[in-house]
């Protein structure tokens, strides 16, 4: 029987369906014509006219053309390579980049016979393309999400107008270049706004804009971990840098030295987010880091920080005293500022005068007199502290004790009827006392002024998708658990994988704390020039948990994983 000459007009999936007897030739031609007229796909027309279901077409395509069939319900959306293909190609050809390995890119596609799509993706990415068949009904929402424009995303993320505003009232005139940037770079402005909103919605603490020789990378730090979010074209790196510098009132012509500034993102009439801006000249352009300063983090309340009940009671008792010093210690990014702000919010009452010296002021607190330390203008911590003591203060907060002079004035204030809160960069509570001795503070002054020291770390909190782990008893004992801990009353959990946590297994962070009151016995050790090890041993005898033990308690409570605790604490 001779082949129908008209059938040669059909190709790809349409031809295969006709040859298999799944659809009439005339119907296939009509559907192809309708798809071209409405700028939709052949598969969409098949489904809309109920000639076949999306799942039937997917199974047929996989069997006929020999490609793997993937159920997207079993695939973690967080692993999608969002920036591997230009969003215009994603929308045009209805494809989703799934996985990169070496020089090969797997893409989800409903019609693997769309050779134009495969060729254009191969040309744009410079990679070999491996098609994976996906049900059109599962593919459509992902295509819509990935191909969404920055402007559309902004409209979806915020119900009210988004404006970037300056944080100060300085009468700084904008240059002609700066004014031109505001008018001409509207797409760049929208892109930056989208990045800021995405970061805030993700709960990120920092945004990194990083130029390299042949690429440009944007990363968010979420729950303490950096992850790549976008890779915009390298040619816009100067526009992004200039626009951010204009908004934060930095010198856009200066690209040879680091600069610091601030900007504000107004989300609504009742909520705004401040951002601290830092620029750094690198080999291939200016790297810019934005620190997100969300005021809501300062009003979480002490219950949300993760203190154990006994630790919370010790801290509240110490800051409630009329005078003395309370120190919060830990590395950068361990949550010291949030802990201090939480204490200040507890103490902030109409009858109390509170002054703070910070470098810089991160979050404005109503009712508290906050001073921005500026070494270049001569407003140093010692200068601010001396001024505070003439301002009739009840409580003083020093952002950081960096040198002997600041330490001496702070301790003098604590000894003369003021409550002083401050931070130091030390590893644990006992080493804080020896650090002050090494700075040159007399042991008598240390012993008589410091009431309590809190050392802290932040670890990632397990998501609700957490799963129980079967771990050998020996491994648990080596980690620091005691035999009495392993009584079977609790379950060891590890990270799972779900949409809420984007496949990481973690969502949010929780604090680990070592809260050490300076008791009379520890005071005597300080006076006799005891070492950090001596003080640590005595604190342990008095029931003070070190950071590792505090972390193990969080593991027993199912709040975090053992890997997180082991990775952030020493034995």
């Amino acid at each position: 029987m001779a082949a129908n000459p008209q059938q040669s007009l059909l190709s790809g999936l349409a031809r295969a369906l006709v040859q298999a007897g799944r659809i009439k030739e005339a119907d296939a031609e009509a559907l192809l014509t309708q798809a071209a007229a409405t700028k939709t796909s052949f598969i969409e027309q098949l489904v809309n006219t109920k000639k076949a279901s999306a799942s039937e077409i997917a199974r047929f395509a996989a069997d006929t053309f020999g490609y793997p069939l993937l159920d997207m319900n079993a695939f973690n959306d967080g692993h999608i390579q969002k920036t591997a293909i230009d969003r215009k190609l994603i929308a045009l050809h209805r494809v989703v980049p799934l996985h990169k390995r070496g020089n090969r890119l797997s893409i989800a596609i409903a019609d693997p016979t769309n050779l134009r799509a495969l060729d254009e993706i191969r040309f744009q990415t410079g990679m070999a393309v491996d098609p994976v068949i996906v049900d059109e009904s599962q593919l459509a929402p992902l295509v819509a999400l990935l191909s969404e424009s920055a402007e559309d995303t902004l409209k979806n993320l915020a119900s009210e107008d988004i404006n970037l505003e300056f944080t100060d009232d300085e009468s700084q005139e904008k240059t002609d270049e700066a004014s031109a940037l505001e008018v001409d770079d509207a797409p760049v402005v929208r892109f930056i706004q989208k990045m800021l909103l995405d970061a805030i919605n993700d709960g990120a603490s920092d945004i990194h804009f990083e130029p390299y020789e042949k690429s440009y990378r944007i990363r968010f730090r979420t729950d303490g971990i950096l992850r790549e979010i976008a890779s915009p074209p390298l040619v816009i790196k100067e526009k992004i840098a200039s626009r951010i510098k204009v908004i934060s009132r930095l010198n856009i012509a200066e690209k040879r030295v680091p600069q610091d500034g601030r900007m504000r993102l107004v989300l609504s009439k009742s909520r705004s987010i401040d951002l601290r801006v830092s620029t750094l000249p690198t080999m291939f352009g200016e790297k810019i880091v934005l620190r997100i300063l969300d005021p809501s983090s300062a009003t979480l309340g002490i219950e949300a920080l993760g203190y154990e009940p006994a630790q919370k009671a010790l801290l509240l008792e110490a800051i409630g005293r009329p005078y003395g010093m309370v120190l919060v210690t830990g590395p950068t990014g361990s949550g010291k500022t949030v802990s201090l702000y939480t204490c200040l919010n507890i103490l902030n009452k109409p009858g109390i005068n509170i002054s703070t010296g910070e470098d810089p002021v991160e979050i404005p607190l109503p009712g508290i007199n906050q001073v921005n330390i500026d070494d270049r203008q001569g407003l140093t911590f010692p200068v601010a502290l001396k001024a505070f003591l003439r301002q009739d203060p009840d409580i003083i907060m020093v952002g950081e004790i960096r040198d002997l002079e600041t330490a001496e004035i702070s301790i003098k204030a604590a000894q003369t009827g003021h409550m002083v809160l401050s931070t130091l960069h030390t590893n644990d509570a006992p080493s804080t006392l020896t650090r002050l001795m090494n700075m040159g503070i007399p042991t008598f002054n240390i012993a008589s002024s410091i009431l309590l020291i809190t050392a802290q770390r932040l670890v990632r909190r397990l998501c609700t998708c957490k799963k129980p782990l079967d771990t050998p008893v020996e491994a648990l004992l080596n980690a620091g658990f005691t035999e009495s801990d392993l009584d079977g009353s609790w379950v060891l959990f590890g990270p799972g994988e779900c949409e809420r946590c984007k496949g990481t297994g973690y969502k949010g962070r929780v604090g680990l704390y070592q809260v050490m009151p300076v008791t009379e016995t520890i005071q005597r050790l300080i006076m006799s020039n005891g070492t950090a090890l001596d003080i640590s041993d005595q604190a342990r005898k008095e029931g003070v948990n070190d950071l590792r033990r505090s972390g193990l308690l969080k593991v027993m409570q199912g709040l975090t994983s053992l890997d997180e605790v082991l990775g952030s604490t020493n034995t």
Side-chain angles (χ1 to χ4, degrees):
M1 184 175 181
N4 189 332
Q6 292 298 318
Q7 190 165 309
S8 62
L9 298 176
L10 300 175
S11 61
L13 182 61
R15 181 174 181 174
L17 287 167
V18 171
Q19 289 178 334
R22 295 291 190 94
I23 187 175
K24 295 180 180 178
E25 181 182 345
D27 290 339
E29 291 177 350
L31 292 174
L32 283 170
T33 302
Q34 183 65 18
T38 57
K39 295 183 179 181
T40 56
S41 70
F42 173 64
I43 293 178
E44 286 180 275
Q45 291 300 320
L46 276 172
V47 174
N48 291 341
T49 57
K50 299 184 179 179
K51 301 291 184 185
S53 69
S55 59
E56 290 173 342
I57 298 168
R59 285 194 297 271
F60 174 80
D63 293 340
T64 304
F65 300 106
Y67 291 113
L69 177 64
L70 175 65
D71 180 3
M72 288 303 292
N73 292 326
F75 185 82
N76 182 5
D77 293 354
H79 293 165
I80 289 176
Q81 305 292 311
K82 298 179 181 179
T83 59
I85 302 176
D86 185 272
R87 62 182 176 85
K88 292 181 181 178
L89 287 182
I90 291 175
L92 177 63
H93 296 306
R94 304 183 67 74
V95 295
V96 172
L98 295 176
H99 180 67
K100 285 196 293 187
R101 176 173 293 176
N103 195 42
R104 305 194 72 84
L105 175 66
S106 298
I107 64 163
I109 191 169
D111 182 1
T113 65
N114 187 349
L115 300 182
R116 179 188 168 197
L118 302 180
D119 288 341
E120 289 190 13
I121 294 169
R122 194 177 296 115
F123 177 78
Q124 188 244 323
T125 62
M127 304 177 73
V129 176
D130 298 322
V132 176
I133 309 299
V134 170
D135 183 325
E136 169 66 27
S137 63
Q138 295 180 350
L139 193 63
L142 291 173
V143 169
L145 179 66
L146 295 179
S147 60
E148 192 175 55
S149 70
E151 189 170 7
D152 290 339
T153 304
L154 280 174
K155 291 177 181 177
N156 292 336
L157 286 174
S159 59
E160 301 187 39
D161 291 337
I162 304 299
N163 296 296
L164 288 170
E165 296 181 356
F166 297 121
T167 59
D168 55 32
D169 297 321
E170 296 179 9
S171 57
Q172 179 175 344
E173 293 296 328
K174 297 178 182 176
T175 63
D176 292 339
E177 183 180 358
S179 300
L181 279 167
E182 289 190 29
V183 176
D184 297 339
D185 291 342
V188 172
V189 174
R190 290 196 297 270
F191 177 76
I192 293 171
Q193 288 178 328
K194 177 188 177 336
M195 288 296 101
L196 296 179
L197 288 168
D198 283 349
I200 292 166
N201 285 328
D202 283 355
S205 60
D206 302 87
I207 311 172
H208 293 238
F209 295 85
E210 302 170 313
Y212 298 98
E213 183 177 11
K214 296 181 180 179
S215 64
Y216 192 73
R217 179 173 69 175
I218 298 176
R219 295 191 291 174
F220 292 172
R221 186 180 294 280
T222 307
D223 296 336
I225 305 297
L226 276 171
R227 58 189 178 89
E228 184 171 342
I229 297 299
S231 182
L234 186 61
V235 294
I236 70 169
K237 67 177 183 180
E238 297 293 344
K239 289 186 176 181
I240 288 178
S242 296
R243 181 58 191 167
I244 291 175
K245 288 163 77 174
V246 166
I247 298 170
S248 51
R249 291 190 179 275
L250 300 178
N251 183 353
I252 62 173
E254 181 56 79
K255 302 177 182 180
R256 298 165 298 177
V257 297
Q259 297 186 68
D260 295 306
R262 294 176 75 94
M263 67 170 72
R264 172 170 293 173
L265 183 64
V266 179
L267 299 176
S268 67
K269 293 179 181 178
S270 60
R271 189 185 179 203
S272 62
I273 303 290
D274 284 335
L275 299 105
R276 196 170 73 207
V277 182
S278 173
T279 72
L280 178 70
T282 68
M283 285 182 64
F284 304 109
E286 288 182 285
K287 174 179 178 177
I288 298 177
V289 176
L290 307 184
R291 166 65 59 89
I292 299 173
L293 309 173
D294 190 348
S296 62
S297 65
T299 56
L300 290 173
I302 196 167
E303 292 78 12
L305 298 184
Y307 285 95
E308 298 296 329
Q311 294 176 332
K312 182 174 73 172
L314 287 171
L315 178 62
L316 292 176
E317 191 273 333
I319 65 173
R321 294 200 196 177
Y323 57 87
M325 179 181 284
V326 173
L327 294 174
V328 180
T329 71
T332 301
S334 60
K336 298 188 300 295
T337 300
V338 171
S339 292
L340 282 179
Y341 280 179
T342 300
C343 291
L344 290 177
N345 276 321
I346 293 171
L347 297 170
N348 187 15
K349 298 175 182 177
I352 302 294
N353 179 22
I354 304 176
S355 295
T356 74
E358 305 170 61
D359 183 18
V361 172
E362 296 198 359
I363 299 173
L365 299 175
I368 293 176
N369 307 293
Q370 296 172 274
V371 173
N372 226 345
I373 299 301
D374 190 344
D375 291 339
R376 290 173 298 182
Q377 300 297 324
L379 183 53
T380 61
F381 278 115
V383 170
L385 274 170
K386 291 174 182 176
F388 290 166
L389 294 174
R390 295 190 290 268
Q391 290 274 315
D392 185 31
D394 297 299
I395 298 167
I396 296 172
M397 193 269 271
V398 182
E400 182 185 349
I401 294 178
R402 298 174 179 171
D403 51 51
L404 177 59
E405 187 179 7
T406 305
E408 287 178 332
I409 301 173
S410 300
I411 285 178
K412 178 183 176 182
Q415 292 173 329
T416 55
H418 307 93
M419 171 55 65
V420 179
L421 309 177
S422 189
T423 71
L424 260 84
H425 287 273
T426 56
N427 290 325
D428 58 14
S431 63
T432 303
L433 295 170
T434 55
R435 168 76 185 280
L436 290 171
M437 296 180 202
N438 293 335
M439 290 175 68
I441 303 297
T443 55
F444 174 80
N445 287 339
I446 297 173
S448 63
S449 60
I450 297 178
L451 304 174
L452 178 137
I453 302 171
T454 295
Q456 63 184 71
R457 299 289 188 277
L458 288 177
V459 295
R460 291 184 292 172
R461 186 189 293 266
L462 285 169
C463 180
T464 52
C465 65
K466 62 186 179 183
K467 57 185 180 182
L469 299 179
D470 186 14
T471 305
V473 172
E474 293 78 11
L476 296 177
L477 292 173
N478 289 335
F481 289 107
T482 64
E483 291 187 1
S484 60
D485 290 333
L486 307 180
D487 58 3
S489 63
W490 55 277
V491 177
L492 179 70
F493 287 99
E497 191 173 312
C498 71
E499 174 66 23
R500 181 173 179 266
C501 62
K502 295 183 172 62
T504 65
Y506 298 94
K507 187 69 175 177
R509 289 194 285 180
V510 65
L512 309 182
Y513 301 95
Q514 179 186 29
V515 180
M516 188 185 80
V518 180
T519 61
E520 290 185 6
T521 309
I522 292 178
Q523 285 177 337
R524 283 195 290 270
L525 279 174
I526 296 170
M527 297 286 290
S528 61
N529 292 308
T531 65
L533 188 59
D534 296 331
I535 298 170
S536 180
D537 288 341
Q538 180 58 36
R540 191 177 297 111
K541 292 176 183 176
E542 296 178 1
V544 175
N545 289 331
D546 60 15
L547 290 166
R548 170 61 64 86
R549 182 61 187 169
S550 293
L552 296 179
L553 291 175
K554 293 291 188 296
V555 172
M556 294 170 67
Q557 295 164 15
L559 295 176
T560 189
S561 68
L562 185 57
D563 287 342
E564 278 290 295
V565 172
L566 297 180
S568 61
T569 62
N570 291 327
T571 53

